[in-house]
């Protein structure tokens, strides 16, 4: 077959292409199962070299190398080759070249032998020379093969990886390339000398699994690829990728061949890349937690949840403030694993003990994270670790802008964790991002609160607020300026149509509820249509003023104007408009409108009342000068207002009244007090009895700037009151005399008793003196009794004279109990004659009252006499009358006269104290009326109440002196 193929060059090269194609197809079919199927390409090269010779074998070698690089070297289906795969490709290329040349050489040798054998059989003797030449060519081929083997060895040693061969059962190396010395620092002889060299120099963490993996792959007779670490001669750790091929003898693994490639730099780059990816992914999680909510508490909770998961720790927490001088701090937020719950609850205020204060100082002194526990510069305080149940922690101070410092921390409870530098860097970045988030959300919360307050103020204030868009009006005014218009007011006056257009340009953006109510709208939408709905002709003047303010660059304008409601009612308003400062847009202009219609009416009515009041009204400044007076004041002083305004009060009223009355009361008013007084004062019309009231005026501040005085002429009233008081005094005197007349028998008895005692004592004294031995001691005792009885009779007569005398009332401090005791002798005989039992129930010492003794005695006598008359017809029960006094309740002393008589007719209760009303036959009906006048004149009150069983009780209360 070889001869037939060798005859045709096209067939020889076709065999090369066909062999490689078949090998590629089979290897691609097996590639998902085993990548080593690519070794079929070597078979294709051997077959081609054997069948077709050297040059087709070289073509097959090239095609196989390209196919290996394209289909079976990562990345697959691409001519791009990873650096790590170059040694494998180079080994394949060298091995394929060697096989191609050796196969071709063997083919040529076989051909030569066949030819020689044929010729030997045909012409043995004749072809001896040819045989020698054939032997020579064979030696040349062998030399070429040896040279090719040397070239392969050189190629292997020049590869970047360590090419090796070892026994499949013992892993004893039989060949190791020179790269082993460069990569690991061990010369090949060292590898070959010790059967367990590979196992002994594996990294301890990789030894068990790597050996087990290789043994299993070898037992399964499959190629394998693994990555592991070996300890170099200098003690460093080198990452190797080992691509291993199992060489079989028969059906049993005999040898292992492979290439160890140094991938330390790649591993380091992968680790750094993984660390960067972990960092970036972790920060993405934190950023998502921060951006996922605008609620501060929810954000803190989400960030701590993310930190708990990222660092795989047991607790994550935030406390505030991070201040060692603070007495306590608050656990703002905490997230924990279920098996390690927090020691304190969220929101709990925790006292700062000395250990905690020391930790806070350390954290505040650091610009980054501070780990506590194993492997760090700071040990975990023992008491804190025991109390909180933690073995290590890492903390950091956060400084949100506009807020107190926080402390952000992670705690490990389950084991004494050592925090790695990448973890510290990530923790620091999370802390900084969290501080920014706390700042942002704090600002956002303040802004949201401010917006809420603004919206609340906007909607709930009682003032009408309009939000209007003046952008088009501003643009129109700017256009006028570009056209050379400098006087906006004059332009508006000359072009009223421009004003109407500008009003139409204004867009109402929003109004508050007060606006809806003020302008009688059903909803806001009715007011958002146009300003024309609320404008009247007078409103145009105010709008022109607003446009002039815009043209002049003013930021605000205010004034009064007239608008109309949607029902057509006119409203006087005070408006204020605030314009933004350039270059801000005019799309959010606030207009506040206050309804001053009532104020205008009140100002008119106040002015009208001030001018037309019959009372004299005037205003006095703090300099005691008249600032304004009304017509009644002009008439009183018979002087026009122009002359009065500007004068001092003493210049008009006189120095003495000013110093004694006006000035002290004005000073009290200037101090903020409402002052009222009455008295007789000189005027051009003579002495007048004036009642004055001074009210402090505070126009714009708490400071009193003046006094509003209202004075009323009560001269006629005062004179009538004096006449009435005189008449009442006369009537009271008559009543007292009448009452004394009724008590004549009682008075005579009270006077006769001491007089009779005096006569008896005098007669006894005369008898004692007439004896031969006078009894002077008895005479002396009798004379003492005469003196006492004389004083007793004099006291009775004195009390009668006081009641009978017609004198002016005289107020003096009195003991109410003494007044009661003075009345008892005057009514005792009358009580006996009416068979009335009198009981006196007087309370202990009282505060004195200011009163007229005679008038108060008159009231008591009147009440006692009324009580006796009420008991006159009573036969079925004791006739008892009680006079009581009680301690002050508040600042008043209470006196009561209680009887068990017929009681009070309910129909007569309301008229009981009316003048000329009486229930007694022949009564005048003045006693109780005069008594009430007397008590009320003393600042007290007199009233009557029915008793629970029989009779009635009359009470009066008098103010005490303090």
């Amino acid at each position: 077959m070889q001869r037939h193929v060798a005859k045709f060059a096209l067939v020889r090269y076709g065999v090369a292409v066909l062999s490689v194609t078949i090998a590629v197809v089979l290897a691609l079919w097996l590639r998902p199962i085993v990548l080593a199927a690519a070794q079929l390409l070597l078979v294709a090269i051997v077959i081609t070299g054997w069948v077709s010779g050297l040059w087709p074998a070289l073509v097959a070698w090239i095609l196989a190398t390209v196919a290996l690089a394209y289909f079976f070297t990562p990345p697959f289906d691409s001519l791009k080759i990873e650096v790590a795969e170059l040694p494998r490709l180079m080994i394949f290329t060298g091995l394929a070249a060697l096989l191609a040349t050796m196969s071709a050489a063997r083919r040529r040798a076989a051909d030569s032998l066949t030819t020689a054998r044929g010729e030997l059989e045909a012409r043995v003797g004749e072809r001896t020379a040819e045989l020698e030449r054939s032997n020579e060519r064979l030696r040349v081929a062998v030399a070429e093969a040896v040279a090719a083997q040397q070239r392969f060895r050189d190629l292997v040693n020049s590869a970047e990886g360590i090419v090796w061969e070892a026994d499949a059962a013992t892993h004893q190396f039989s060949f190791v390339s020179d790269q082993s010395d460069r990569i690991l620092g061990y010369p090949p002889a060292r590898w070959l000398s010790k059967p367990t060299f590979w196992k002994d120099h594996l990294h301890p963490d990789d030894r068990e699994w790597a050996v087990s993996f290789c043994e299993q792959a070898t037992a399964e007779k499959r190629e394998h690829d693994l990555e592991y670490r070996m300890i170099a001669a200098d003690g460093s750790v080198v990452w190797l990728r080992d691509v291993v091929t199992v060489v079989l003898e028969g059906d049993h693994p005999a040898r292992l061949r492979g290439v160890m490639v140094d991938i330390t730099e790649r591993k380091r780059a992968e680790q750094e890349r993984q660390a960067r990816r972990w960092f970036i992914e972790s920060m993405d999680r934190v950023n998502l937690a921060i951006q996922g909510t605008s609620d501060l508490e929810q954000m803190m909770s989400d960030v701590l949840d993310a930190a708990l998961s990222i660092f795989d720790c047991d607790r994550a927490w935030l406390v505030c403030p991070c201040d060692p001088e603070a007495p306590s701090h608050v656990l703002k937020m905490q997230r924990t694993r279920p098996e390690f719950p927090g020691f304190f609850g969220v929101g709990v205020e925790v006292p700062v003990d000395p250990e905690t204060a020391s930790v806070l100082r350390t954290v505040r002194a650091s610009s980054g994270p501070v780990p506590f526990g194993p492997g760090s510069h700071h040990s975990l305080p023992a008491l804190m670790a025991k109390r909180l149940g933690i073995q290590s922690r890492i903390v950091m101070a956060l400084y949100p802008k506009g807020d107190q410092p926080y402390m952000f921390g992670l705690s490990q409870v389950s084991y004494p964790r050592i925090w790695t530098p990448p973890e510290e860097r990530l923790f620091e970045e999370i802390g900084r991002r969290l501080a920014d988030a706390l700042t942002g959300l704090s600002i956002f919360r303040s802004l949201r609160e401010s917006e809420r307050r603004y919206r609340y103020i906007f909607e709930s204030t009682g003032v009408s607020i309009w939000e209007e868009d003046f952008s088009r009006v501003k643009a129109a005014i700017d256009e006028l300026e570009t056209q050379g218009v400098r006087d906006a007011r004059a332009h508006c006056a000359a072009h009223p149509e421009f004003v109407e257009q500008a009003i139409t340009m204004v867009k109402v953006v929003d109004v508050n509820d007060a606006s809806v109510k003020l302008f009688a709208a059903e909803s806001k939408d009715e007011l958002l249509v146009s300003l024309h709905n609320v404008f009247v002709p007078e409103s145009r003047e105010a709008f022109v003023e607003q446009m002039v303010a815009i043209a002049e660059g003013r930021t605000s304008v205010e004034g009064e104007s007239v608008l109309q409601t949607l029902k057509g009612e006119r409203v006087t308003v005070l408006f204020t408009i605030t314009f933004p400062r350039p270059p801000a847009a005019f799309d959010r202009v606030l207009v506040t409108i206050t309804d001053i219609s009532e104020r205008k009416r009140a100002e008119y009515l106040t002015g009208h009342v001030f001018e037309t009041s019959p009372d004299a009204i005037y205003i006095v400044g703090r300099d005691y000068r008249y600032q304004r007076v009304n017509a009644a004041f002009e008439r009183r002083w018979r002087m026009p207002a122009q002359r009065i305004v500007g004068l001092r009060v003493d210049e008009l009223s006189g120095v003495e009244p000013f110093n004694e009355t006006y000035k002290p009361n004005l000073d009290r008013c200037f101090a903020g007090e409402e002052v009222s007084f009455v008295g007789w004062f000189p005027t051009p019309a003579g002495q007048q009895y004036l009642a004055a009231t001074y009210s402090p005026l505070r126009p714009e501040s708490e400071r009193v700037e003046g006094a509003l005085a209202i004075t009323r002429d009560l001269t006629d009233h005062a004179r009538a009151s004096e006449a009435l008081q005189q008449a009442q005094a006369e009537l009271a005197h008559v009543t007292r005399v009448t009452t004394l007349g009724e008590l004549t028998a009682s008075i005579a008895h009270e006077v006769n008793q001491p007089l009779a005692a005096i006569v008896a004592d005098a007669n006894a004294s005369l008898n004692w003196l007439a004896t031969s031995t006078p009894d002077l001691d008895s005479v002396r005792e009798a004379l003492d009794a005469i003196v006492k009885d004389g004083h007793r009779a004099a006291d009775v007569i004195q009390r009668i004279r006081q009641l009978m005398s017609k004198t002016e009332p005289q107020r003096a401090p009195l003991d109410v109990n003494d007044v009661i005791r003075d009345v008892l002798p005057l009514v005792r005989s009358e009580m006996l004659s009416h068979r009335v039992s009198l009981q006196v129930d007087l309370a202990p010492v009282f505060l004195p009252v200011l009163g007229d003794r005679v008038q108060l005695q008159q009231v008591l006598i009147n009440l006692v006499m009324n009580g006796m008359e009420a008991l006159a017809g009573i036969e079925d029960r004791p006739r008892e009358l009680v006079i009581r006094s009680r301690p002050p309740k508040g600042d008043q002393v209470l006196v009561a006269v209680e009887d068990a008589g017929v009681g009070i007719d309910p129909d007569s209760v309301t008229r009981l104290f009316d003048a000329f009303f009486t229930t007694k036959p022949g009564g005048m009906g003045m006693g109780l009326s005069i008594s009430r006048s007397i008590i009320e004149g003393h600042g007290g009150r007199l009233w009557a109440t029915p008793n629970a069983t029989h009779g009635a009780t009359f009470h009066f209360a008098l103010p005490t002196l303090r």
Side-chain angles (χ1 to χ4, degrees):
M1 178 182 176
Q2 292 176 346
R3 290 194 196 95
H4 297 300
V5 171
K7 292 178 181 179
F8 304 98
L10 182 61
V11 173
R12 292 199 304 271
Y13 288 98
V15 169
V17 173
L18 182 60
S19 299
V20 173
T21 301
I22 293 173
V24 168
V25 170
L26 291 175
L28 287 175
W29 180 61
L30 295 172
R31 187 176 68 178
I33 304 172
V34 56
L35 186 60
Q39 304 300 328
L40 292 173
L41 295 172
L42 296 176
V43 177
I45 295 172
V46 171
I47 293 172
T48 302
W50 180 261
V51 175
S52 300
L54 178 60
W55 293 107
L58 293 177
V59 171
W61 170 64
I62 295 171
L63 292 175
T65 302
V66 173
L68 178 68
Y70 187 84
F71 293 107
F72 304 100
T73 303
F76 299 121
D77 303 326
S78 171
L79 290 176
K80 185 177 180 181
I81 301 172
E82 293 183 356
V83 176
E85 299 296 326
L86 283 175
R88 177 169 169 262
L89 182 61
M90 293 175 66
I91 293 172
F92 177 85
T93 303
L95 182 61
L98 177 62
L99 292 175
T101 55
M102 291 179 66
S103 177
R106 290 184 65 183
R107 176 187 175 280
R108 285 196 301 272
D111 287 346
S112 298
L113 289 175
T114 302
T115 302
R117 185 177 59 191
E119 290 178 353
L120 181 61
E121 291 176 353
R123 296 176 298 178
V124 174
E126 303 165 351
R127 298 292 179 94
T128 302
E130 287 292 333
L131 180 58
E132 292 177 355
R133 286 193 296 272
S134 296
N135 290 334
E136 183 64 25
R137 287 195 295 271
L138 181 59
R139 285 194 297 271
V140 171
V142 171
E144 289 178 355
V146 172
Q149 185 177 7
Q150 183 62 40
R151 288 195 301 272
F152 175 72
R153 181 178 293 275
D154 293 339
L155 179 63
V156 167
N157 287 329
S158 65
E160 288 294 325
I162 302 172
V163 182
W164 59 271
E165 185 181 57
D167 183 85
T170 64
H171 287 86
Q172 170 73 47
F173 287 102
S174 58
F175 173 81
V176 176
S177 67
D178 295 339
Q179 291 292 341
S180 61
D181 195 3
R182 181 184 65 81
I183 294 176
L184 291 172
Y186 302 112
R190 182 89 176 269
W191 292 65
L192 302 176
S193 63
K194 191 175 182 181
T196 59
F197 177 86
W198 180 68
K199 296 180 183 179
D200 294 342
H201 291 82
L202 285 173
H203 192 281
D205 293 343
D206 297 341
R207 183 175 296 132
E208 182 177 353
W209 74 264
V211 172
S212 175
F213 180 83
C214 288
E215 290 176 348
Q216 183 179 357
T218 302
E220 294 174 359
K221 309 170 192 177
R222 58 180 174 84
E223 294 182 355
H224 48 278
D225 187 342
L226 68 161
E227 295 177 356
Y228 52 81
R229 290 167 290 179
M230 289 188 71
I231 307 299
D234 60 0
S236 62
V237 177
V238 178
W239 274 95
L240 297 173
R241 180 186 179 193
D242 200 352
V243 180
V244 183
T245 301
V246 180
V247 179
L248 302 176
E249 289 185 357
D251 195 32
H252 301 285
R255 292 181 303 280
L256 300 176
R257 293 173 184 164
V259 180
M260 299 179 185
V261 181
D262 185 0
I263 60 171
T264 303
E265 292 300 323
R266 193 194 78 185
K267 278 292 185 181
R268 185 177 294 114
E270 286 180 357
Q271 290 174 352
E272 292 177 355
R273 184 167 62 252
Q274 289 176 356
R276 286 195 298 271
R277 184 174 65 184
W278 176 67
F279 185 92
I280 294 171
E281 290 176 351
S282 299
M283 289 308 302
D284 284 343
R285 290 181 63 183
V286 172
N287 289 333
L288 287 174
I290 291 173
Q291 298 167 5
T293 179
S294 59
D295 181 75
L296 181 60
E297 285 72 21
Q298 185 62 46
M299 184 276 294
M300 291 191 293
S301 176
D302 293 346
V303 170
L304 294 185
D305 275 334
L308 200 68
S309 173
I310 291 168
F311 291 97
D312 193 25
C313 57
D314 299 326
R315 295 175 188 161
W317 43 267
L318 269 173
V319 298
C320 181
C322 180
D323 183 2
E325 306 303 325
S328 62
H329 54 207
V330 177
L331 184 62
K332 289 292 186 180
M333 185 56 64
Q334 178 178 241
R335 306 300 294 168
T336 66
R337 296 193 181 280
E339 60 270 27
F340 301 110
F343 191 77
F344 300 105
V346 174
V348 173
E349 188 170 343
V350 183
V352 176
D353 54 35
E355 277 191 341
T356 304
S358 176
V359 170
L360 293 176
R361 289 189 188 92
T362 303
V363 174
R364 289 291 296 270
S366 174
S367 60
V370 181
F372 289 86
S376 65
H377 298 293
H378 305 281
S379 61
L380 196 62
L383 293 178
M384 177 184 292
K386 182 177 180 181
R387 183 174 70 253
L388 301 180
I390 58 178
Q391 300 194 53
S392 68
R393 64 167 22 174
I394 184 170
V395 295
M396 176 181 177
L398 310 182
Y399 300 94
K401 295 179 181 178
D403 201 351
Q404 293 180 307
Y406 283 69
M407 185 166 67
F408 170 43
L410 305 176
S411 298
Q412 199 72 41
V413 181
S414 54
Y415 66 95
R417 179 172 184 167
I418 297 177
W419 304 93
T420 64
E423 290 174 337
E424 291 186 20
R425 286 194 296 272
L426 178 60
F427 179 76
E428 181 177 9
E429 189 61 29
I430 292 175
R432 290 175 178 172
R433 187 69 185 90
L434 181 57
D436 293 341
L438 289 172
T439 300
L441 284 183
S442 178
I443 295 173
F444 177 77
R445 172 182 281 183
S446 300
L447 179 61
R448 186 169 59 183
E449 186 63 28
S450 177
E451 290 177 351
R452 188 182 297 112
R453 287 196 301 269
Y454 166 77
R455 177 53 58 181
Y456 174 76
I457 294 172
F458 183 84
E459 292 295 345
S460 63
T461 184
V463 178
S464 171
I465 302 178
W466 295 55
E467 189 175 354
E468 300 175 356
D469 184 353
F470 271 74
S471 301
R472 295 177 61 193
V473 177
K474 180 67 167 61
I477 293 175
D478 292 343
E479 180 65 22
L480 290 178
E481 292 181 355
T482 59
Q483 295 175 3
V485 176
R486 295 291 178 263
D487 190 343
R489 193 185 304 277
H491 181 82
C492 291
H495 300 83
E497 70 282 359
F498 175 74
V499 178
E500 292 298 323
Q501 293 173 0
I503 295 174
T504 305
M505 293 178 186
V506 177
K507 179 183 177 182
V508 181
V509 179
D510 195 7
V511 297
N512 64 350
D513 294 339
S515 303
V516 175
K517 181 179 179 181
L518 175 61
F519 291 94
E522 294 293 332
S523 65
K524 291 183 179 182
D525 295 336
E526 293 183 345
L527 298 178
L528 301 181
V529 177
S530 172
L531 290 179
H532 288 289
N533 292 343
V534 296
F535 270 28
V536 295
E538 295 92 325
S539 309
R540 272 71 177 169
E541 299 177 4
F543 189 79
V544 169
E545 188 62 32
Q546 298 168 22
M547 291 195 295
V548 171
I550 295 175
E552 294 176 352
R554 285 184 278 163
T555 57
S556 65
V557 62
E558 62 180 23
E560 293 184 8
S561 184
V562 178
L563 299 173
Q564 68 175 358
T565 67
L566 298 186
K567 294 181 179 180
E569 298 175 355
R570 294 169 65 88
V571 181
T572 304
V573 299
L574 175 67
F575 68 88
T576 302
I577 303 180
T578 303
F579 296 112
R581 295 183 181 275
F586 276 64
D587 56 347
R588 289 290 188 271
V589 176
L590 286 182
V591 182
T592 59
I593 299 175
T594 306
D595 182 6
I596 59 172
S597 302
E598 293 297 329
R599 192 185 78 182
K600 283 291 184 182
R601 283 193 286 269
E603 288 178 355
Y604 167 77
L605 292 175
T606 301
H608 181 72
V609 169
F610 187 90
E611 294 299 335
T612 62
S613 174
D615 295 329
I617 304 175
Y618 56 94
I619 297 174
V620 179
R622 295 186 69 92
D623 56 357
Y624 306 107
R625 296 185 181 275
Y626 293 104
Q627 296 180 351
R628 184 178 178 185
V629 299
N630 70 345
F633 194 83
E634 294 180 71
R635 291 192 297 271
R636 177 178 296 167
W637 293 98
R638 300 176 182 177
M639 188 181 298
Q642 294 82 353
R643 288 183 57 191
I644 298 174
V645 173
L647 292 177
R648 280 176 56 91
V649 176
D650 54 349
E651 294 175 345
L652 186 67
S653 64
V655 175
E656 185 177 348
F658 175 76
N659 291 332
E660 292 182 357
T661 305
Y662 291 119
K663 186 177 183 302
N665 288 302
L666 284 172
D667 290 341
R668 289 171 58 194
C669 183
F670 293 151
E673 184 179 349
E674 187 93 11
V675 181
S676 297
F677 61 92
V678 295
W680 291 93
F681 299 95
T683 66
Q687 289 286 332
Q688 290 186 340
Y689 191 79
L690 304 178
T693 299
Y694 289 166
S695 301
L697 295 179
R698 300 179 177 91
E700 298 178 354
S701 65
E702 291 298 323
R703 185 174 185 269
V704 177
E705 300 294 339
L708 173 66
I710 302 175
T711 59
R712 175 169 293 184
D713 183 4
L714 299 178
T715 305
D716 294 339
H717 176 77
R719 288 173 178 163
S721 179
E722 289 177 353
L724 178 60
Q725 290 177 359
Q726 184 65 32
Q728 287 179 339
E730 293 287 349
L731 184 58
H733 178 259
V734 171
T735 304
R736 287 199 301 272
V737 173
T738 304
T739 303
L740 288 175
E742 296 175 359
L743 296 174
T744 301
S746 178
I747 293 171
H749 176 76
E750 289 297 321
V751 173
N752 286 335
Q753 269 191 335
L755 291 179
I758 290 171
V759 172
D761 288 336
N763 290 328
S765 297
L766 291 174
N767 293 330
W768 286 326
L769 290 173
T771 61
S772 57
T773 56
D775 188 354
L776 297 180
D777 291 335
S778 297
V779 171
R780 187 177 294 108
E781 290 178 3
L783 292 176
D784 288 339
I786 291 171
V787 171
K788 291 178 181 179
D789 290 336
H791 288 160
R792 177 182 170 192
D795 289 340
V796 173
I797 295 171
Q798 178 63 26
R799 294 189 187 100
I800 295 171
R801 289 186 60 190
Q802 288 176 349
L803 291 171
M804 293 288 292
S805 63
K806 186 179 180 182
T807 58
E808 294 292 330
Q810 296 178 356
R811 301 283 177 89
L814 300 173
D815 184 341
V816 171
N817 288 343
D818 289 342
V819 176
I820 295 173
R821 293 186 187 98
D822 290 342
V823 170
L824 295 179
L826 301 179
V827 299
R828 184 178 293 113
S829 298
E830 192 70 20
M831 301 284 274
L832 293 173
S833 64
H834 284 77
R835 294 181 295 119
V836 174
S837 172
L838 177 62
Q839 298 181 16
V840 179
D841 181 11
L842 303 181
V845 179
F846 285 140
L847 291 173
V849 299
L850 184 65
D852 182 89
R853 183 181 293 271
V854 173
Q855 289 184 338
L856 295 180
Q857 288 175 352
Q858 178 179 351
V859 171
L860 277 171
I861 291 173
N862 183 266
L863 296 179
V864 170
M865 294 297 292
N866 287 344
M868 286 191 297
E869 292 175 358
L871 291 166
I874 300 302
E875 300 294 342
D876 58 344
R877 56 183 177 272
R879 298 182 181 182
E880 293 180 348
L881 189 143
V882 182
I883 301 177
R884 292 190 179 91
S885 64
R886 288 292 176 261
K889 289 187 178 180
D891 59 350
Q892 289 188 326
V893 174
L894 180 65
V895 177
V897 178
E898 179 184 346
D899 65 68
V902 295
I904 303 173
D905 185 358
D907 296 335
S908 304
V909 172
T910 57
R911 302 173 58 197
L912 200 58
F913 297 96
D914 291 348
F916 305 111
F917 174 78
T918 181
T919 58
K920 297 183 292 184
M924 295 176 59
M926 294 300 296
L928 289 177
S929 175
I930 293 174
S931 296
R932 170 173 277 187
S933 298
I934 292 172
I935 295 301
E936 291 178 349
H938 282 72
R941 65 190 187 98
L942 174 65
W943 73 100
T945 58
N947 294 336
T949 54
H950 304 287
T953 302
F954 285 79
H955 316 261
F956 66 85
L958 298 173
T960 60
L961 288 175
R962 295 288 181 181

